[in-house]
Amino acid sequence: MPDVITLGDINIDIVAPILAYPAQGGDTVSEQASLHTGGSAANTAMALAGLELEVGCIGRVGQDALGTQVLVDLEDAGVDTRLVQFDPAVSTGVIFIAVTPDGERTMFGARGANSYTDPQLLVEDYFVGARWFHFSGYTLLAEPQRLAVFRALELAVKAGCHISFDAGVEPSLRVQIHIQRLLPRIDVILPSEMELFHLTGSRDWRQGALQLLEQGVGAVVTKRGANGSQLTAPHLEVSLPAFKIAPLDTTGAGDCFNAGFILGRLGGLGWEAAAILGSASGALATQGRGAAAGRIGRKALRHLIEEHLSAPEWLELHEALQEGLTFLEA
């Protein structure tokens, strides 16, 4: 049985680098469009598998060629797919992702079969022995997938899992009421600055994080892109710089950040060291087209952290950097 279970969307991503967005009604040309397996659950699961954890992914795809390809990619990455469902009537989710030269991505999605994830197909025995359950806010957008989340949370709590949550921009806007309902069950929430603003109404990420703690969340790790990240927990506030690495494509970087953070916490690392592994995983994900989750490994994390040991911006966190390195070398 898996050590970590993820639940969320599983898609085919169509990634198209563009020079600039056209005017409304115009068009543009991409020279390198490519297809990748993606989606919140899939990206985090593949990154976790690449980081040598036993991981299972729960989601739903169509009975079509894209769904077959997704399953092959997940299994090739080392992800347990026994609870990936096939929908006989609805196609696999597809996301079109336009990427500008600065590496920033903009997504246009058709969620397809994801929305129909069936809670009745979740198996209690699958959670027995699992230590961590991670899910995405996109699972809360529609029924019956939303019910699948509630069911999975019940099973995860019963199994004694740690629970983490990645809010997502669209869910933070549209389903705040459902997210707020779940906050007391969440050990760690990992929002972006934009998501934090939508969830709390505060443009001050520090105040927004404290507000989530007051609503019952155990800890908040705010992902701030090129500005690094912020760790907020009871009696603990730490700002972490970003790793200096030029992004090619930021698709899935947040999902991979989640994976690195989960690895660190399951490995017994302190909050700061775990957030460093998350930041390093997210940075490495930007070096390939698509989520690049399957290309993140412990060796690559180790090298990236070693390159920054003497960087002045990391001086105050040198001990946490070394803690992460020691763990990766073990």
Side-chain angles (χ1 to χ4, degrees):
M1 293 299 175
D3 203 23
V4 184
I5 298 170
T6 71
L7 190 155
D9 285 4
I10 305 173
N11 304 308
I12 285 290
D13 293 344
I14 304 172
V15 180
I18 59 173
L19 293 177
Y21 289 97
Q24 187 173 6
D27 55 44
T28 189
V29 174
S30 175
E31 301 293 340
Q32 303 175 18
S34 54
L35 272 65
H36 307 266
T37 289
S40 54
N43 289 337
T44 300
M46 288 190 290
L48 286 165
L51 293 170
E52 302 174 27
L53 288 176
E54 296 292 329
V55 55
C57 182
I58 302 173
R60 192 173 178 96
V61 298
Q63 286 185 334
D64 49 32
L66 296 181
T68 300
Q69 185 59 55
V70 162
L71 203 65
V72 169
D73 290 345
L74 287 171
E75 291 175 349
D76 284 350
V79 177
D80 187 309
T81 62
R82 283 175 289 171
L83 289 195
V84 174
Q85 306 171 11
F86 282 90
D87 195 298
V90 183
S91 62
T92 300
V94 176
I95 308 293
F96 175 75
I97 303 173
V99 182
T100 44
D102 60 356
E104 192 57 64
R105 90 291 185 272
T106 302
M107 301 191 295
F108 307 84
R111 301 190 63 237
N114 288 298
S115 299
Y116 299 93
T117 303
D118 187 349
Q120 300 301 318
L121 299 180
L122 272 62
V123 181
E124 182 173 356
D125 287 349
Y126 195 71
F127 286 78
V128 175
R131 293 191 291 157
W132 200 287
F133 174 65
H134 175 81
F135 70 106
S136 159
Y138 289 94
T139 59
L140 300 172
L141 288 175
E143 302 286 9
Q145 191 180 31
R146 187 183 302 138
L147 295 176
V149 172
F150 298 153
R151 171 64 174 159
L153 278 170
E154 291 176 1
L155 298 177
V157 170
K158 185 176 181 180
C161 295
H162 297 286
I163 296 171
S164 58
F165 174 64
D166 189 323
V169 175
E170 191 74 4
S172 300
L173 280 168
R174 290 175 47 192
V175 290
Q176 292 181 20
I177 186 171
H178 294 297
I179 293 175
Q180 289 169 355
R181 174 183 171 187
L182 297 177
L183 290 179
R185 295 189 180 187
I186 296 170
D187 296 308
V188 184
I189 186 171
L190 300 114
S192 67
E193 283 186 286
M194 184 184 299
E195 293 159 10
L196 191 62
F197 165 65
H198 292 320
L199 287 174
T200 66
S202 175
R203 292 192 178 275
D204 183 322
W205 49 261
R206 180 179 180 274
Q207 292 301 320
L210 292 174
Q211 185 175 324
L212 290 179
L213 292 185
E214 291 173 358
Q215 293 177 277
V217 174
V220 183
V221 182
T222 308
K223 295 174 283 192
R224 306 181 62 217
N227 293 318
S229 59
Q230 175 72 20
L231 171 62
T232 310
H235 313 298
L236 178 65
E237 291 186 47
V238 180
S239 294
L240 293 91
F243 286 97
K244 291 184 177 179
I245 186 167
L248 175 68
D249 181 353
T250 58
T251 301
D255 300 326
C256 294
F257 184 112
N258 301 338
F261 178 82
I262 292 169
L263 170 69
R265 291 302 287 169
L266 281 180
L269 300 187
W271 289 103
E272 295 97 330
I276 285 170
L277 295 192
S279 182
S281 298
L284 289 172
T286 70
Q287 299 304 287
R289 290 295 180 197
R295 295 189 288 275
I296 296 172
R298 297 192 184 202
K299 183 178 180 180
L301 286 183
R302 188 168 67 247
H303 287 168
L304 182 60
I305 294 172
E306 287 173 343
E307 290 173 355
H308 288 77
L309 275 176
S310 301
E313 66 271 20
W314 285 99
L315 183 60
E316 294 184 4
L317 289 162
H318 188 272
E319 185 175 337
L321 285 173
Q322 193 60 58
E323 181 184 356
L325 274 180
T326 300
F327 167 72
L328 294 170
E329 291 168 353

